[in-house]
Amino acid sequence: MSERDPQSAPPRRPAAFRLHPESEDDPRAATVEPEPEESDTTPPPDDGAAAAGRRPPGGQRGFSLRRFSLRRFSWGGVFFAGLGGLVTFAAGLSVDRLIDDLFARADWLGWAALALAALTVLAAAIIVLREGLAIARLGRIDRLRTEAAAAAAADDRKAAEAVVAQVGRLFAARPETAAGRAALARHVDEVIDGQDLIRLAERELLAPLDAEARRLVMETARRVSVVTALSPRAFVDILFVLVSAAGLIRRLALLYGGRPGLIGFVTLARHVIGHLAVTGGIAAGDSLLHEVVGKGLATRISSRLGEGIVNGLMTARVGLAAMDVCRPLPFLDAPRPRVSDIIGEIAASVPAAGRDAP
């Protein structure tokens, strides 16, 4: 017994000292404090772990994990999971019954229905796979932006080089970034600071994409302004604004490398709305409205044209927020576009459309 104690003490001693500081005088104290339910065949490291999970001083970690798992439990999720399972089973039984009935009528009808069911299952699996890949791609872009901001803030050359390499692979198939990728490959070894490397990648890779994104935002905002200014129905205005904003978010996501499906687009739209809430998009729109009114523009045009301008400004604000969310790199070297930069063009296009209208 005395020969085995020195061998068993070293792997068990740290756990015993962390859990029971009062046993420092006796190094073998950990070997004589088993719980009643412990077995003699349990390995020594597992003894310490099991004792840590049962004793009050060391059991806080286990309790916190248990509370975390209970906090994530949701009866709403159980309800929708059960409901989805029942609907799936009902659909499967209905299809099975339909195929049996068709086989009873004629064999060729049953085989045709079976082939159609197989094609439906295959298409559903492909759609689910594409949605998963689209969500993963959007998550990758969001992660790249976060890592780039952290690397620039810490001026970490190694982290910045890894981020720039991933951004280059993201736009590897885009012809409009070919010149920027070539210039970046020539100068990447000459840059020492991590922040400067992120700025170089932003300038070389994203400059043409930013110009195209600004053009998309401008055209969409101008179109919304003109259409809502000339539309006779408020319902048509609301519908057109929503459809235009959704289309703008999707086009900006595609421009910056994202390929959102249905679920991915819903997630992206939620991020854009959250970004608007955080950055005060509604307040920005109100301030711009006061600026327009303060300049006397509303006194020279009709109230309907004024509403068109406001709708265009809010659409532009949504587009600029989508640029922030969809962009794989933060705005460091390039100036962040603002709604005030395009207010003049929107305000000029709406009165012109009002004069040309019958």
Side-chain angles (χ1 to χ4, degrees), residues 131 134-135 138 250 259-270:
E131 289 288 343
I135 294 175
L138 292 175
R250 184 176 181 83
R259 299 167 186 172
L262 178 59
I263 301 177
F265 173 77
V266 172
T267 304
L268 181 62
R270 289 178 56 188

Side-chain angles (χ1 to χ4, degrees), residues 8-21 23-24 27 30 44-45 48-49 52:
S8 60
R12 301 172 61 117
R13 183 170 180 169
F17 274 106
R18 284 197 299 267
L19 295 176
H20 301 284
S23 62
E24 290 182 356

Side-chain angles (χ1 to χ4, degrees), residues 18-270:
R18 284 197 299 267
L19 295 176
H20 301 284
E22 67 275 10
S23 62
E24 290 182 356
D25 297 334
D26 188 5
R28 293 172 296 177
T31 62
V32 296
E33 294 181 356
E35 292 291 331
E37 63 271 20
E38 287 183 347
S39 62
D40 296 335
T41 59
T42 306
D46 295 338
D47 275 352
R54 286 189 296 270
R55 291 191 177 93
Q60 295 178 358
R61 179 179 300 179
F63 291 148
S64 64
L65 290 177
R66 199 173 294 117
R67 287 196 299 267
F68 179 76
S69 62
L70 289 176
R71 198 177 302 124
R72 294 194 61 178
F73 179 80
S74 172
W75 284 109
V78 173
F79 170 78
F80 285 110
L83 182 62
L86 290 176
V87 171
T88 302
F89 281 129
L93 290 175
S94 300
V95 172
D96 181 70
R97 190 179 301 110
L98 175 63
I99 293 176
D100 289 341
D101 293 341
L102 291 176
F103 267 115
R105 285 178 175 270
D107 289 342
W108 69 272
L109 288 177
W111 287 112
L114 192 60
L116 291 176
L119 287 176
T120 303
V121 172
L122 178 62
I126 293 176
I127 291 174
V128 171
L129 179 62
R130 291 180 59 184
E131 289 288 343
L133 293 176
I135 294 175
R137 192 177 182 88
L138 292 175
R140 177 189 174 192
I141 293 175
D142 188 68
R143 186 174 63 253
L144 283 176
R145 184 174 59 255
T146 303
E147 293 176 355
D155 204 7
D156 190 343
R157 176 65 168 75
K158 186 176 180 180
E161 186 176 0
V163 170
V164 169
Q166 294 184 58
V167 174
R169 289 193 295 269
L170 181 65
F171 297 121
R174 303 289 293 274
E176 60 267 32
T177 62
R181 284 185 279 111
L184 183 62
R186 288 195 304 268
H187 301 292
V188 65
D189 294 330
E190 303 173 3
V191 181
I192 299 177
D193 298 332
Q195 187 179 80
D196 292 339
L197 184 58
I198 298 293
R199 291 178 181 272
L200 177 64
E202 182 188 11
R203 182 168 59 252
E204 297 295 341
L205 296 179
L206 298 187
L209 302 182
D210 289 340
E212 178 65 17
R214 190 178 183 279
R215 186 189 66 81
L216 289 176
V217 173
M218 177 70 67
E219 290 184 353
T220 305
R222 186 186 297 116
R223 184 167 57 250
V224 167
S225 299
V226 173
V227 171
T228 57
L230 301 179
S231 174
R233 294 289 183 269
F235 174 76
V236 176
D237 296 350
I238 297 174
L239 183 61
F240 187 78
V241 170
L242 292 177
V243 172
S244 299
L248 178 60
I249 294 174
R250 184 176 181 83
R251 288 196 298 271
L252 290 175
L254 292 173
L255 177 65
Y256 284 112
R259 299 167 186 172
L262 178 59
I263 301 177
F265 173 77
V266 172
T267 304
L268 181 62
R270 289 178 56 188

